[in-house]
């Protein structure tokens, strides 16, 4: 394991469970979800100030930007992928097949052709109601979907609880976290990588202790993922390059010029990499 030392700094704290961070270059703020409190927040990293964007947000989770720079986000409550533009939230897709509702879309990325790819584990349906509304799955399994031309199609169906996902920089591979250990101590807790030309996948890295959640790929092709209270950095060949402990369970991360913003537990952290 190698790599430069990273500086870890807590920027803000006050969420029950912080998730879905997205660096917004246009405002210089980080948008994130406080899922159990059903709200969307903007954090100004310059002074740690917080603005409530939506306090009845329908339990949103992961988010990204589409090719037009609009925010896409996953809604546990609406069981949908949504677009936010001009402060207005609209549903992009909430069903597949013959009107079958998704479980609770969790994380989302956009391919070079504009297609929307997202994961669909059942966490928003848990009886506790902590991250959504108690409910039943309307299809057997938890899939990764591709949405394009008005149609959502399952493209990965061999995972237990697909969670975070990220494309390689050339869009030939897709990395997907399986976080089934959240509900089952004996469940999968690894990253898988899929060859998009053939559709075949394999285990890329086992995450222990903990489990993988959100992940991203940097311009050098390194894979950054959550792992318990750590952020781990893997080379494309699976070699662990670095592990950085932030002190709280890490959920997800988003790049900004100079490093990463990381949601973990109650807080937002900044990892300065230079």
């Amino acid at each position: 394991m190698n790599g430069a030392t990273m500086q870890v700094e807590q920027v803000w704290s006050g969420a029950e469970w912080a998730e879905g961070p997205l660096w917004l270059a246009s405002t210089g703020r980080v948008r994130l979800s406080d899922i159990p409190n059903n709200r969307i927040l903007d954090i100004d990293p310059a002074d740690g100030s917080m603005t409530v964007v939506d306090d009845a947000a329908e339990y949103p989770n992961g988010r990204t930007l589409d090719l037009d720079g609009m925010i896409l986000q996953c809604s546990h409550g609406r069981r949908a992928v949504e677009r936010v533009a001009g402060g207005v939230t609209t549903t992009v897709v909430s069903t597949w097949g013959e009107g079958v509702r998704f479980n609770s879309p969790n994380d989302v990325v956009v391919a070079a052709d504009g297609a929307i790819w997202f994961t669909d584990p059942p966490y928003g349906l848990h009886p506790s109601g902590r991250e959504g509304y108690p409910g039943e799955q309307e299809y057997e399994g938890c899939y990764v979907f591709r949405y394009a031309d008005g149609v959502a199609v399952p493209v990965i169906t061999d995972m237990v609880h697909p969670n975070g996902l990220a494309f390689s920089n050339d869009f030939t591979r897709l990395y997907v976290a399986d976080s089934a250990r959240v509900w089952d101590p004996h469940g999968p807790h690894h990253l898988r990588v899929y060859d998009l030309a053939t559709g075949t996948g394999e285990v890329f890295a086992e995450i222990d202790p903990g489990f993988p959640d959100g992940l991203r790929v940097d311009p050098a092709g390194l894979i950054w993922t959550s792992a318990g209270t750590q952020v781990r950095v893997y080379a494309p060949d699976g070699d662990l390059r670095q592990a950085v402990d932030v002190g709280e369970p890490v959920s997800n991360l988003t790049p900004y010029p100079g490093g990463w913003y990381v949601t973990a537990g109650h807080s937002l952290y900044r990892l300065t990499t230079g």
Side-chain angles (χ1 to χ4, degrees), residues 74-191:
C74 295
S75 172
H76 285 188
R78 297 188 181 99
R79 300 171 74 159
V81 175
E82 304 172 327
R83 179 175 282 110
V84 182
V88 177
T89 301
T90 57
T91 298
V92 175
V93 59
S94 60
T95 62
W96 69 284
E98 299 298 322
V100 178
R101 287 189 299 171
F102 300 119
N103 299 323
S104 53
N106 186 285
D107 210 352
V108 58
V109 292
V110 177
D113 62 0
I116 298 169
W117 295 58
F118 60 96
T119 56
D120 192 34
Y123 300 134
L125 304 178
H126 193 274
S128 69
R130 185 171 183 264
E131 295 192 12
Y133 300 111
E136 300 295 328
Q137 293 181 236
E138 294 191 3
Y139 71 95
E140 292 186 6
C142 299
Y143 299 160
V144 178
F145 288 89
R146 179 183 184 272
Y147 175 76
D149 300 321
V151 179
V153 177
V155 287
I156 295 174
T157 61
D158 62 349
M159 299 184 70
V160 181
H161 285 175
N163 196 319
L165 72 173
F167 287 109
S168 61
N169 291 322
D170 61 4
F171 293 94
T172 63
R173 298 181 304 281
L174 182 70
Y175 299 92
V176 189
D178 197 323
S179 57
R181 183 182 264 186
V182 172
W183 283 8
D184 178 1
H186 303 292
H189 47 95
H190 55 232
L191 298 178

Side-chain angles (χ1 to χ4, degrees), residues 43-63:
I43 310 299
D44 187 342
D47 58 12
S49 61
M50 181 270 284
T51 301
V52 178
V53 176
D54 189 346
D55 61 2
E58 292 297 324
Y59 304 96
N61 198 321
R63 50 178 56 84

